[in-house]
């Protein structure tokens, strides 16, 4: 991969709202070259999507619950974990799915409206898959940092310190 392509990737990853003229100035190439590089990176599926990072805790009437589920599976002969991973990521509740090392094989990130909805997903959809041996569910309580963005509103903690 060329140096300019890597520079553009890093810039777009940090701020996907940068327009082509700005990117061209930042990497010191023509706008046509930047358009060509972006088109190539999208065609090669290196750039998959342009997303915003949203602090949903500040949005009224958005009672969402996020859970990370560790899953132990039996890999399938000839396809390893890919086949069971594909079955899992096709569920609409699944926001992310990772093959991980350690005690578990897969980590599934799902979103639901309530903890009960997530519980139903685990018990009726995920754990019933033939390859799934066990699951452990962790509920997200607070986000401190996501995709390199710190979730800090800058307000000082005004609680009184109490010590014994």
């Amino acid at each position: 991969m060329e140096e300019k392509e890597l520079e553009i990737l890093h810039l777009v990853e940090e701020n996907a709202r940068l327009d082509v003229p700005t990117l061209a100035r930042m990497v010191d190439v023509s706008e046509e070259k930047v358009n060509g590089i972006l088109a190539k990176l999208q065609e090669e599926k290196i750039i998959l999507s342009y997303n915003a990072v949203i602090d949903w805790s500040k949005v009224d009437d958005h009672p969402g619950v996020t859970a990370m589920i560790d899953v132990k599976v039996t890999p399938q002969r000839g396809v390893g974990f890919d086949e069971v991973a594909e079955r899992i990521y096709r569920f609409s509740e699944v926001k992310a799915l990772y093959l991980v090392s350690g005690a578990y094989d897969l980590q599934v990130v799902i979103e639901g409206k309530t903890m009960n909805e997530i519980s139903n997903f685990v018990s009726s959809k995920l754990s019933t898959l033939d390859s799934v041996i066990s699951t452990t569910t962790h509920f997200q309580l607070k986000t401190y940092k996501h995709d390199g963005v710190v979730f800090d509103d800058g307000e000082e903690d005004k609680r009184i310190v109490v010590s014994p």
Side-chain angles (χ1 to χ4, degrees):
M1 182 169 283
E2 293 179 19
E3 182 181 337
K4 295 297 181 184
E5 292 173 341
L6 283 172
E7 283 184 61
I8 290 172
L9 279 176
H10 286 294
L11 290 168
V12 169
E13 181 182 39
E14 190 174 312
N15 183 358
R17 294 186 63 167
L18 290 172
D19 59 13
V20 171
T22 304
L23 281 170
R25 284 191 306 276
M26 292 175 82
V27 297
D28 196 29
V29 296
S30 69
E31 291 180 28
E32 294 77 25
K33 177 87 171 163
V34 170
N35 277 322
I37 289 171
L38 289 172
K40 175 187 172 211
L41 295 171
Q42 291 169 11
E43 184 178 307
E44 292 176 356
K45 299 205 181 294
I46 294 171
I47 295 178
L48 299 174
S49 178
Y50 299 90
N51 295 313
V53 177
I54 299 169
D55 187 351
W56 287 108
S57 69
K58 295 182 178 179
V59 178
D60 293 335
D61 302 325
H62 189 271
V65 178
T66 300
M68 284 71 66
I69 305 165
D70 296 326
V71 184
K72 186 177 289 239
V73 300
T74 304
Q76 300 297 312
R77 185 180 308 275
V79 294
F81 297 101
D82 294 345
E83 189 174 289
V84 69
E86 183 176 348
R87 291 184 67 193
I88 293 170
Y89 72 61
R90 291 191 181 279
F91 291 119
S92 62
E93 297 91 342
V94 175
K95 298 302 171 198
L97 175 62
Y98 307 98
L99 178 63
V100 296
S101 63
Y104 291 90
D105 304 305
L106 299 171
Q107 185 175 59
V108 184
V109 179
I110 69 167
E111 291 179 355
K113 291 180 182 164
T114 63
M115 290 174 73
N116 192 41
E117 189 174 296
I118 290 174
S119 172
N120 288 336
F121 169 82
V122 173
S123 63
S124 65
K125 293 182 179 179
L126 185 60
S127 64
T128 61
L129 296 175
D130 291 336
S131 299
V132 172
I133 298 169
S134 66
T135 65
T136 301
T137 303
H138 310 273
F139 289 97
Q140 178 181 315
L141 303 177
K142 182 177 180 178
T143 301
Y144 292 102
K145 185 175 183 179
H146 180 76
D147 282 346
V149 178
V150 176
F151 283 55
D152 181 17
D153 55 14
E155 288 188 23
E156 213 176 291
D157 189 354
K158 295 180 179 14
R159 295 179 289 178
I160 298 173
V161 176
V162 177
S163 59

